[in-house]
Amino acid sequence: QVQLVESGGGLVQPGGSLRLSCAASGFTFRSAAMSWYRQAPGKERELVASITSGGGSTNYADSVKGRFTISRDNVKNTVYLQMNSLKPEDTAKYYCKASQLRVYWGQGTQVTVSS
């Protein structure tokens, strides 16, 4: 069955960095566009970053441009989100999404930015 397993979240101080990973299985990863979303308490889920199936094109929310980088490894079936210069407003649960013929979601990983 399809699985998207996020990892790498945690508690970090403002200005710090984290790298999230999303390991995929159960579908043809190299054919899927991949995205990271986040949802803070009381807020709508929002798109953070996306990457095309081949990795040639990326897209970022304005709030994270210049700080976050999405990448993928089509051999390891994994998508990454490198998050630098983290701010308290980046605190949220981060979700991985795969878009192929269907859409699949991971269970999320919590990121908390606090001193």
Side-chain angles (χ1 to χ4, degrees), residues 81-93:
L81 185 68
Q82 178 67 44
M83 306 187 294
N84 299 328
S85 303
L86 283 160
K87 305 175 181 180
E89 51 263 44
D90 295 318
T91 295
K93 196 163 189 179

Side-chain angles (χ1 to χ4, degrees), residues 20-59:
L20 305 183
S21 300
C22 172
S25 61
F27 65 99
T28 307
F29 180 79
R30 63 182 181 274
S31 299
M34 300 298 297
S35 306
W36 286 96
Y37 283 71
R38 66 186 181 188
Q39 187 167 22
K43 293 191 175 181
E44 302 256 327
R45 191 173 294 192
E46 62 173 355
L47 175 67
V48 176
S50 62
I51 187 166
T52 52
S53 57
S57 181
T58 57
N59 183 56

Side-chain angles (χ1 to χ4, degrees), residues 60-76:
Y60 296 92
D62 287 343
S63 58
V64 307
K65 277 181 184 175
R67 300 188 297 123
F68 290 12
T69 303
I70 188 171
S71 62
R72 66 188 295 159
D73 186 329
N74 284 353
V75 174
K76 294 182 178 179

